[in-house]
Amino acid sequence: MKRSGFQVSFLMAGAIFTSVIAHSQTLQDAIKLTNNEEFEQADKVFLSLEKAQPTVGNIYYYRGENFYNWGKLDSAQSTYQKGMSVNALEPLNYVGLGKVEMINGDSKSGADNFYKAKTISKEKDPLVLSKIGEAYINAASKDPSTASDMLNQAVILLDQAIKLDSKNPTYHLDLGDAYLAQNPTDGSKSIEEYNTAISLDPKSVNAMLRLGQLWKNARNYTTSFDYFKKATQLDSTYAPAYREQAEMLYEAGRYDEALAAYQKYLNLNNSLTARIRYGIFLFSAQKYDAAITELQSDLQKDSSNIILYRLLAYSQYERKDYKNGLANMNKFLAKSQGTKVKIIGSDYTYLGKLLSKNGQDSLAVVNLNRAVTMINNENSQDVQDIYQLIGQIYYKDGNYPMAVMYFKKRVTARQQNADANDYYFLGLAQYNNKQYQGADSSFGKISQTNPDLLIAYQWRARANSQLDSTQALSKPYYQQYIQKVGMDTLKNKTGLIEAYSELGYYYFLKKDKDSASIYYRKILNLDSDNGSAKEYFDSLKPHPKTKPEAKK
């Protein structure tokens, strides 16, 4: 709540004898800023609190939580540790540190710190128990191998917290989160807990947000929208509800409404973190021009944010700005070295595509293969698309054997989902690699699944023409091509001339002049100046015999 100048002055004047009350209110304001995703502003408030009351341990915990939600894990860890050093009896900082340790893979140290927190609080503080439960939920999402055990622990701890304080809606929200993490396909128990939270606090925007998220994940967008709308009606300044609403609307294909909702989010929270998140959203929504403008602006304010270079490079590729895209991709990879930024398969995919567009095909193939290795899943659509990209690069460069190999990889990976385009590219590469029987087989797959696709019959005919100099093998496919064209002769003029020419030549070799003439005449009907047809009919004209010279 925004205070008037009079209220602020009054609080400052009474600070000497109401420091505890002022601290409580200010701490809650800072926590509210964190919940509203205004992390930069929240940190300023927490920092001022630290300076004013350096031995109050829970200030460090909540500042650490602000860093954690901000995505700054190292800063969160150091803040929890600082809180432990200034007040070793504040259990919450042990919880925070344990959470970071578990997320970083050190489950033993994490469990030790949870134990210390419970020991200090004598296992009778429901807040501590709930925060440990919440920490287990967060850590479980990072380590699938131990997720089940962690989530079971979370449920036990949150049940204990509720027994100690059954009227606190937050504990029910956390328990609902634990149930949903345990079984993402069945939200019934979670809904029950979220509704309990609402019964305890009908104005709980967090409960409405949770229900909106749950139904969004279930792709029930109408119900999801209703809950996000209820959250904004309860608190029109609650920014995350507008962001979640925007992301839900995007998933539902309502793009203009999604952008409008995101603008409402930015009107409430125009921090750099929010702007960066907006840039990511614009990229996801395929608004690449707007994403580029936003990301470039964000980089001017914070060039240390490495991820922005990745998204900028991706966006520039999509807008065909290949030179700048490659420069920013290289910046991203260089700046990532020695940091905790994880390189993912799509980084090498975009690097490969950008290198190819900049004429560096050899390096492009190397990096595209790196992407395949990193993704390590033949069933992945990304891997299958990479196989096609590599095949196209090799085909463009005239390396047909390698093009065949990668187009085959795509077909094999896609199995029954391989479509006409897949077999078309494979067939072209096989044809140019003089694998004519293979090409015939590939184009045959197209005619089986797409019987009206003319190009399949045309290329089957061409492949069989290379297998048999008499044109007997190609004849039925050219005839099928002509049949499929029907009356649409102008649109398919070039293809018909090819078919008529090959069939005419077939009958010429068979010495069937009448049949040959029919096809060559069809050519002249489409192209009266066709040289081959004219030459054929000239050859049929009688030529005067040359009178032998008289012997002298």
Side-chain angles (χ1 to χ4, degrees):
M1 181 178 68
K2 186 177 179 181
R3 298 191 181 97
S4 67
F6 170 77
Q7 287 175 311
V8 173
S9 299
F10 176 79
L11 286 173
M12 290 176 66
I16 295 173
F17 61 90
T18 60
S19 60
V20 176
I21 296 173
H23 156 66
S24 176
Q25 289 178 329
T26 309
L27 178 59
Q28 289 306 312
D29 287 344
I31 293 171
K32 185 175 180 180
L33 287 169
T34 297
N35 291 337
N36 215 39
E37 298 174 356
E38 297 178 70
F39 306 118
E40 294 95 334
Q41 188 60 34
D43 188 54
K44 292 177 182 177
V45 178
F46 283 123
L47 189 58
S48 67
L49 285 168
E50 276 186 29
K51 291 178 180 178
Q53 302 175 80
T55 60
V56 178
N58 66 344
I59 294 174
Y60 298 90
Y61 170 74
Y62 286 108
R63 187 183 183 203
E65 290 293 276
N66 188 64
F67 281 126
Y68 176 83
N69 289 295
W70 198 350
K72 299 188 175 188
L73 218 58
D74 289 343
S75 297
Q77 181 172 343
S78 62
T79 304
Y80 299 136
Q81 289 171 328
K82 186 177 179 182
M84 291 160 61
S85 68
V86 300
N87 187 342
L89 296 179
E90 173 53 65
L92 288 175
N93 287 307
Y94 295 93
V95 177
L97 180 59
K99 174 173 63 176
V100 172
E101 288 169 335
M102 283 207 161
I103 288 171
N104 286 333
D106 188 356
S107 57
K108 184 181 182 305
S109 295
D112 287 345
N113 276 305
F114 291 162
Y115 177 77
K116 290 175 185 176
K118 288 191 288 185
T119 301
I120 293 169
S121 61
K122 299 179 181 180
E123 300 195 37
K124 293 182 179 180
D125 187 335
L127 178 61
V128 173
L129 295 172
S130 73
K131 290 300 182 182
I132 298 174
E134 185 183 304
Y136 273 123
I137 297 169
N138 288 320
S141 67
K142 307 294 182 182
D143 187 0
S145 65
T146 60
S148 179
D149 290 339
M150 288 186 179
L151 293 171
N152 287 337
Q153 283 294 316
V155 170
I156 292 169
L157 288 161
L158 290 163
D159 276 334
Q160 291 175 358
I162 289 170
K163 286 177 182 176
L164 291 168
D165 182 2
S166 61
K167 301 299 183 182
N168 191 313
T170 302
Y171 304 156
H172 291 280
L173 292 178
D174 290 339
L175 183 56
D177 292 346
Y179 285 142
L180 193 60
Q182 281 183 322
N183 191 352
T185 61
D186 182 5
S188 56
K189 293 174 75 174
S190 299
I191 292 170
E192 184 178 342
E193 292 300 326
Y194 297 154
N195 283 332
T196 299
I198 292 172
S199 69
L200 293 168
D201 179 8
K203 294 184 178 181
S204 174
V205 290
N206 287 322
M208 297 300 176
L209 189 75
R210 297 289 215 291
L211 285 163
Q213 291 168 326
L214 184 150
W215 289 112
K216 180 184 76 170
N217 293 334
R219 298 187 179 181
N220 186 332
Y221 299 123
T222 301
T223 305
S224 173
F225 181 85
D226 289 342
Y227 278 110
F228 291 141
K229 186 176 180 180
K230 286 178 182 177
T232 59
Q233 288 172 339
L234 288 169
D235 183 355
S236 61
T237 67
Y238 187 54
Y242 293 103
R243 177 184 54 74
E244 288 283 354
Q245 190 180 84
E247 291 169 2
M248 180 278 296
L249 289 166
Y250 169 73
E251 285 185 21
R254 295 158 63 177
Y255 304 119
D256 290 339
E257 291 175 81
L259 289 170
Y262 227 111
Q263 285 300 324
K264 291 180 181 177
Y265 171 72
L266 293 175
N267 289 340
L268 294 168
N269 180 7
N270 199 36
S271 65
L272 180 59
T273 302
R275 301 296 320 185
I276 290 170
R277 189 177 284 220
Y278 180 54
I280 296 169
F281 174 79
L282 289 170
F283 172 80
S284 300
Q286 299 179 12
K287 302 290 185 182
Y288 300 119
D289 288 329
I292 290 168
T293 300
E294 181 63 46
L295 293 166
Q296 287 175 332
S297 174
D298 296 340
L299 275 169
Q300 289 177 354
K301 298 169 187 173
D302 181 10
S303 60
S304 67
N305 194 314
I306 299 170
I307 300 298
L308 298 184
Y309 291 100
R310 166 194 278 161
L311 293 170
L312 183 57
Y314 286 15
S315 300
Q316 287 169 326
Y317 171 83
E318 299 296 344
R319 294 303 300 140
K320 297 181 172 56
D321 185 0
Y322 303 125
K323 182 179 178 181
N324 286 319
L326 181 58
N328 282 309
M329 198 70 231
N330 285 328
K331 281 182 185 178
F332 165 71
L333 293 170
K335 289 175 178 289
S336 297
Q337 292 182 6
T339 72
K340 291 186 178 181
V341 173
K342 184 180 179 181
I343 304 300
I344 56 179
S346 61
D347 295 329
Y348 288 119
T349 302
Y350 270 98
L351 177 60
K353 292 192 290 188
L354 286 162
L355 285 165
S356 179
K357 293 297 185 181
N358 280 277
Q360 301 178 55
D361 284 343
S362 296
L363 281 173
V365 169
V366 169
N367 283 285
L368 289 170
N369 276 313
R370 279 184 186 172
V372 170
T373 302
M374 183 167 283
I375 298 169
N376 193 29
N377 181 4
E378 291 283 315
N379 296 321
S380 162
Q381 182 68 50
D382 291 332
V383 166
Q384 294 164 10
D385 290 345
I386 291 169
Y387 286 150
Q388 183 164 332
L389 278 170
I390 297 175
Q392 288 171 338
I393 290 171
Y394 278 127
Y395 186 88
K396 178 188 70 174
D397 293 344
N399 190 338
Y400 301 120
M402 293 301 291
V404 168
M405 185 177 86
Y406 277 94
F407 287 138
K408 272 188 177 179
K409 280 176 176 282
R410 177 175 168 87
V411 168
T412 301
R414 298 199 73 194
Q415 299 178 14
Q416 70 270 17
N417 293 319
D419 58 20
N421 279 331
D422 298 326
Y423 284 108
Y424 176 70
F425 287 120
L426 175 58
L428 282 183
Q430 290 169 319
Y431 182 89
N432 284 285
N433 199 40
K434 300 183 180 179
Q435 296 174 241
Y436 301 120
Q437 286 184 332
D440 176 54
S441 176
S442 295
F443 294 124
K445 292 282 188 182
I446 300 175
S447 60
Q448 289 172 15
T449 57
N450 298 267
D452 294 325
L453 202 57
L454 295 175
I455 202 165
Y457 303 101
Q458 189 176 50
W459 276 104
R460 287 202 80 179
R462 289 171 180 171
N464 280 280
S465 179
Q466 298 295 329
L467 292 169
D468 177 18
S469 60
T470 69
Q471 309 303 307
L473 293 177
S474 63
K475 176 175 174 281
Y477 302 114
Y478 278 124
Q479 288 175 325
Q480 285 179 292
Y481 175 81
I482 293 168
Q483 182 185 4
K484 293 290 182 181
V485 168
M487 301 298 292
D488 198 2
T489 56
L490 290 177
K491 181 180 177 182
N492 299 284
K493 176 180 173 181
T494 303
L496 283 171
I497 289 173
E498 177 189 326
Y500 293 150
S501 179
E502 293 297 327
L503 290 170
Y505 183 61
Y506 166 79
Y507 285 111
F508 172 77
L509 293 176
K510 299 283 287 184
K511 302 188 185 304
D512 183 348
K513 292 182 180 179
D514 290 341
S515 296
S517 296
I518 290 172
Y519 285 105
Y520 283 115
R521 193 167 290 112
K522 286 176 180 288
I523 294 173
L524 290 175
N525 288 338
L526 291 172
D527 179 10
S528 59
D529 294 324
N530 187 275
S532 297
K534 283 184 174 182
E535 186 178 342
Y536 168 76
F537 285 112
D538 285 344
S539 71
L540 298 180
K541 293 177 181 178
H543 295 284
K545 294 182 180 179
T546 304
K547 185 178 180 181
E549 292 183 14
K551 292 184 180 179
K552 294 182 180 178

